[in-house]
């Protein structure tokens, strides 16, 4: 990445060396190893990166045998031993922890935690370029060492970020970010504030520019209450919090619009006209996202200096060890990790040599037209309006 080439007459290109991707094994009683093995059973994957699985060679053998995996792996003890063109397994978990398919155990949670810790240490040491996390069981992993609600909060703590992380689910041109993440529904409204939404919109906007290289990103903001609160009849959060946050973000130069009632927004396909969507709570954003992504979604942690992605599914204890897991989301998580690392490299280099970047900024994102349907409670919305028939 440090050998980034700059030439005023040639396009900026990414470094030629193969990126090293650290992949944590997740909860070893789930489908983590299975989706990793299946993803790399396609030989092309090993041409794209040098993968390092952080886990256990014993556990890897157990899963490999259970599902009759079609890819072999190379055992290592330190990241510098990783071989290109091979799937490397870095042993960092005690041998006495057993695999018990489908069971949530504290031992498995400990194994998941140890893999995370080693991957983070290697990332900080510059031994890997990105981290892809296989699913954990959030209850099993809880301990005095891991007192977090999920991966997102853990990574923010370990990397000491001053900016709150943003959970961003991605699939092609569909990107859904969450204002709040792992909260009981009854607590969502009390956690929303103008300041929180402004922060999330800033983080999302910056990520679209830097991580996805979208030159003029448009963001849709969803309402909290049904029918956008019906002028306060069903709730005042839209008028008191969401509208002011949108207005202030617009004055800061962030092109965001709304709020939009979530059911009509997704039901009428209005999401197609935006580069990203900010949902107010977990299931409001993830339920429609997963239905539309159909197993190909990726969970990306935006707003932090490191690159971390993950499949958009859980441990799937009910099918663990049976060879039935779909590896698509894991494969796309690896693709996205590679893309974001390269995009950030391009973005950094373009600041010292802006001409190639200016060329890209004059092109629409994949050539698609984007329109802006009208919505309730629009605040200083300068985007062109369309009638319902036109939408």
């Amino acid at each position: 990445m440090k050998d980034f080439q700059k030439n005023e007459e040639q396009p900026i290109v990414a470094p030629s060396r193969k990126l090293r991707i650290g992949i944590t094994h997740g909860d070893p009683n789930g489908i983590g190893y299975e989706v990793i093995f299946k993803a790399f059973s396609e030989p092309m994957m090993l041409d794209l990166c040098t993968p390092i699985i952080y886990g256990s060679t014993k556990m890897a053998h157990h899963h490999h045998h259970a599902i009759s995996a079609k890819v072999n792996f190379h055992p290592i003890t330190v990241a510098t031993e990783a071989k290109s063109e091979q799937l490397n397994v870095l042993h960092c978990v005690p041998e006495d922890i057993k695999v018990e398919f489908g069971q949530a155990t504290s031992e498995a949670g400990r194994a998941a935690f140890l893999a995370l810790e080693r991957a983070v240490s290697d990332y900080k040491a510059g031994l890997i370029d990105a981290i892809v996390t296989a699913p954990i069981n959030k209850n099993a992993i809880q301990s005095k060492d891991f007192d977090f609600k999920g991966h997102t909060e853990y990574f923010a703590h370990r990397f000491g970020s001053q900016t709150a992380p943003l959970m961003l689910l991605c699939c092609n041109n569909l990107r859904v970010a969450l204002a709040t993440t792992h909260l009981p529904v009854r607590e969502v409204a009390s956690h929303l504030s103008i300041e929180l939404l402004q922060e999330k919109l800033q983080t999302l906007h910056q990520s679209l520019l830097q991580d996805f290289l979208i030159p003029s990103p448009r963001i849709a903001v969803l309402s909290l209450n049904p029918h956008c609160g019906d002028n306060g009849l069903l709730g005042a959060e839209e008028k008191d919090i969401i509208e002011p946050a949108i207005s202030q973000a617009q004055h800061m130069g962030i092109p965001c619009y709304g709020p939009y009632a979530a059911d009509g927004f997704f039901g009428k396909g209005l999401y197609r006209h935006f580069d990203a969507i900010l949902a107010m709570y977990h299931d409001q954003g993830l339920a429609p996202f997963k239905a539309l992504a159909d197993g190909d979604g990726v969970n990306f942690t935006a707003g932090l200096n490191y690159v971390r992605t993950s499949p958009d599914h859980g441990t799937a204890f009910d099918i663990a060890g049976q060879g039935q897991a779909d590896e698509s989301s894991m494969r796309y998580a690896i693709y996205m990790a590679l893309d974001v690392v390269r995009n950030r490299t391009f973005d950094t280099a373009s600041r010292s040599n802006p001409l190639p970047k200016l060329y890209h900024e004059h092109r629409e994102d994949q050539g698609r037209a984007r329109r802006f349907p009208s919505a309730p409670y629009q605040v200083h919305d300068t985007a062109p309006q369309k009638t319902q028939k036109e939408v």
Side-chain angles (χ1 to χ4, degrees):
M1 293 175 65
K2 293 181 180 180
D3 298 327
F4 210 97
Q5 298 179 359
K6 182 178 68 174
N7 189 310
E8 292 184 357
E9 298 180 356
Q10 299 294 327
I12 296 175
V13 295
S16 58
R17 75 165 177 82
K18 193 180 295 185
L19 296 177
R20 297 179 296 269
I21 304 298
I23 308 173
T24 61
H25 67 172
D27 191 299
N29 293 340
I31 61 171
Y33 279 103
E34 180 176 342
V35 293
I36 296 169
F37 287 150
K38 285 183 174 180
F40 285 98
S41 64
E42 173 58 53
M44 178 193 70
M45 293 293 291
L46 292 173
D47 294 332
L48 298 177
C49 65
T50 299
I52 303 174
I53 303 175
Y54 286 81
S56 158
T57 52
K58 180 179 177 181
M59 289 177 175
H61 279 296
H62 192 99
H63 281 262
H64 194 278
H65 176 74
I67 66 168
S68 300
K70 298 180 181 179
V71 62
N72 294 320
F73 61 85
H74 171 59
I76 60 175
T77 56
V78 292
T80 52
E81 296 175 347
K83 293 185 177 181
S84 181
E85 309 296 336
Q86 292 196 43
L87 181 60
N88 303 276
V89 175
L90 191 154
H91 186 78
C92 56
V93 173
E95 292 282 356
D96 59 349
I97 299 180
K98 298 180 180 179
V99 174
E100 300 178 72
F101 288 126
Q103 302 299 312
T105 67
S106 58
E107 290 80 8
R110 181 67 178 170
F113 169 73
L114 292 173
L116 283 169
E117 285 287 285
R118 182 63 177 272
V120 168
S121 295
D122 282 0
Y123 192 110
K124 288 184 172 183
L127 301 177
I128 55 177
D129 299 292
I131 298 177
V132 178
T133 58
I136 59 173
N137 180 284
K138 293 180 177 61
N139 185 51
I141 199 173
Q142 295 300 313
S143 69
K144 61 180 179 64
D145 296 316
F146 191 101
D147 185 22
F148 307 97
K149 293 181 178 180
H151 276 121
T152 305
E153 296 82 2
Y154 163 79
F155 278 111
H157 170 76
R158 286 291 279 112
F159 284 89
S161 173
Q162 299 300 313
T163 304
L166 178 70
M167 184 181 293
L168 180 60
L169 282 294
C170 310
C171 181
N172 298 321
N173 288 325
L174 176 62
R175 304 175 188 91
V176 179
L178 303 181
T180 62
T181 52
H182 302 111
L183 287 176
V185 174
R186 68 177 180 273
E187 297 180 14
V188 171
S190 64
H191 278 75
L192 294 179
S193 67
I194 296 173
E195 294 73 23
L196 173 71
L197 296 186
Q198 278 187 304
E199 180 183 68
K200 299 300 182 182
L201 286 168
Q202 284 181 285
T203 300
L204 179 55
H205 183 245
Q206 182 61 34
S207 180
L208 294 171
L209 293 170
Q210 178 185 36
D211 301 327
F212 298 93
L213 299 183
I214 301 173
S216 301
R218 284 86 159 182
I219 301 170
V221 182
L222 301 184
S223 65
L224 173 67
N225 299 300
H227 311 299
C228 287
D230 264 348
N231 290 314
L233 180 64
L234 302 179
E237 285 78 13
E238 284 72 26
K239 284 185 172 294
D240 294 344
I241 298 173
I242 302 176
E243 283 186 43
I246 292 173
S247 178
Q248 292 182 28
Q250 287 178 339
H251 285 302
M252 294 168 61
I254 299 174
C256 54
Y257 308 93
Y260 298 95
D263 56 347
F265 182 83
F266 286 104
K268 295 176 182 177
L270 305 187
Y271 60 88
R272 296 187 180 96
H273 308 311
F274 296 91
D275 298 292
I277 302 144
L278 181 65
M280 293 299 105
Y281 59 94
H282 188 280
D283 284 15
Q284 182 190 52
L286 266 61
F289 173 84
K290 290 188 176 183
L292 292 165
D294 193 26
D296 293 342
V298 176
N299 182 355
F300 170 56
T301 305
L304 301 176
N305 291 329
Y306 65 87
V307 177
R308 176 257 168 173
T309 65
S310 178
D312 71 346
H313 57 72
T315 55
F317 281 159
D318 56 323
I319 59 170
Q322 301 175 31
Q324 299 178 20
D326 184 348
E327 74 278 12
S328 300
S329 187
M330 172 58 76
R331 182 178 290 115
Y332 285 117
I334 296 166
Y335 290 160
M336 178 167 287
L338 294 169
D339 286 344
V340 172
V341 171
R342 292 181 176 123
N343 287 348
R344 287 186 178 185
T345 306
F346 179 96
D347 182 72
T348 300
S350 69
R351 297 179 190 281
S352 58
N353 181 28
L355 292 181
K357 186 171 186 290
L358 289 173
Y359 167 75
H360 287 282
E361 287 183 348
H362 281 290
R363 301 190 304 176
E364 276 288 335
D365 184 30
Q366 296 191 8
R368 64 190 176 96
R370 288 174 290 194
R371 297 172 295 169
F372 297 87
S374 59
Y377 301 114
Q378 288 198 345
V379 182
H380 302 296
D381 190 345
T382 58
Q385 301 300 305
K386 298 292 182 180
T387 65
Q388 188 63 41
K389 183 177 180 180
E390 288 175 305
V391 172

